[in-house]
Amino acid sequence: MAKFWTDKTFLPYQKHKFKVQLELWYIQGFDQGQAAIDTQSIISKNKIHRVNIPPHFIRSVDLPKFSTSIENTAGTFSPSSNIQAEAGDFEDLTITFYMVDDLVSLIPSIFYAYYLDFGTGNSAPVPFLQKKSKLGAKFNSQFVSTSKISITMLNEASNRVVEYTHVLPLSYDLGDLDYGDSAIVEPTMTFSYNVTQAANGTGVTGTP
């Protein structure tokens, strides 16, 4: 902390200096036009793979905010106070991409991989695929427990890694198209997570 005031060459972490590593799953050859999917074929033909999205395909990361509130549980006319914190609220993690290569099909294949039910037999409906469908879905706990997003904030002195584990995709947005706009299409994905860890240096686990 002191170097910021005493060393003119010291630089704080800057927004544009970061790297993201995604350890997620996707379905190879997934077709959104299918009403049902042969889950046993996916397993037997080994169509579930780790996704490999290069870091330069990622435009930005909206790091989740944590907030809580306090409440005085003492009586209205009590001369003393009894203040306690309410349950905390962890916001979700959102990543914005550049629409390059096959991300238009890769992003949905990541999302649906986490909600396929591999215990329903040879053919199972794909949840959420039809707008009017009220079909619910259970997430695949094995995929969630083995998924991770690591964000490295780069600095000349030392890198800082924030790691989100037990990751579950909650939503995706393929962006919007406009004849009057020449900007790059920027799809997004939003993730829930269970554990956050931070570390110094190049590692991805540990404590500050």
Side-chain angles (χ1 to χ4, degrees), residues 114-163:
Y114 286 79
Y115 293 95
L116 291 181
D117 187 352
F118 293 113
T120 56
N122 290 331
S123 183
V126 181
F128 313 124
L129 209 52
Q130 297 181 2
K131 184 176 180 181
K132 296 182 179 180
S133 174
K134 300 298 182 181
L135 180 67
K138 296 180 180 179
F139 61 83
N140 189 307
S141 59
Q142 179 181 354
F143 289 168
V144 172
S145 64
T146 54
S147 296
K148 180 170 60 178
I149 297 175
S150 300
I151 301 169
T152 305
M153 293 180 283
L154 305 173
N155 187 285
E156 294 179 1
S158 88
N159 297 334
R160 181 76 170 178
V161 181
V162 182
E163 180 182 274

Side-chain angles (χ1 to χ4, degrees), residues 62-119:
D62 188 4
L63 296 176
K65 180 178 70 175
F66 172 76
S67 62
T68 186
S69 59
I70 60 173
E71 180 181 2
N72 186 359
T73 59
T76 304
F77 299 103
S78 173
S80 61
S81 61
N82 182 21
I83 298 177
Q84 63 181 22
E86 298 293 304
D89 180 23
F90 290 88
E91 292 188 355
D92 301 318
L93 173 70
T94 300
I95 297 179
T96 302
F97 302 88
Y98 294 111
M99 185 65 87
V100 292
D101 290 355
D102 59 348
L103 281 186
V104 67
S105 58
L106 181 58
I107 287 176
S109 73
I110 295 172
F111 177 85
Y112 289 110
Y114 286 79
Y115 293 95
L116 291 181
D117 187 352
F118 293 113

Side-chain angles (χ1 to χ4, degrees), residues 45-61:
K45 295 181 180 180
N46 194 26
K47 290 187 176 182
I48 299 292
H49 298 277
R50 284 289 194 186
V51 69
N52 182 23
I53 299 180
H56 58 275
F57 283 14
I58 296 174
R59 180 189 185 278
S60 64
V61 178

Side-chain angles (χ1 to χ4, degrees), residues 23-44:
E23 296 185 34
L24 306 173
W25 300 94
Y26 81 104
I27 309 170
Q28 185 182 35
F30 176 71
D31 181 5
Q32 293 188 76
Q34 296 173 272
I37 194 165
D38 188 346
T39 55
Q40 297 303 317
S41 175
I42 288 176
I43 296 173
S44 62

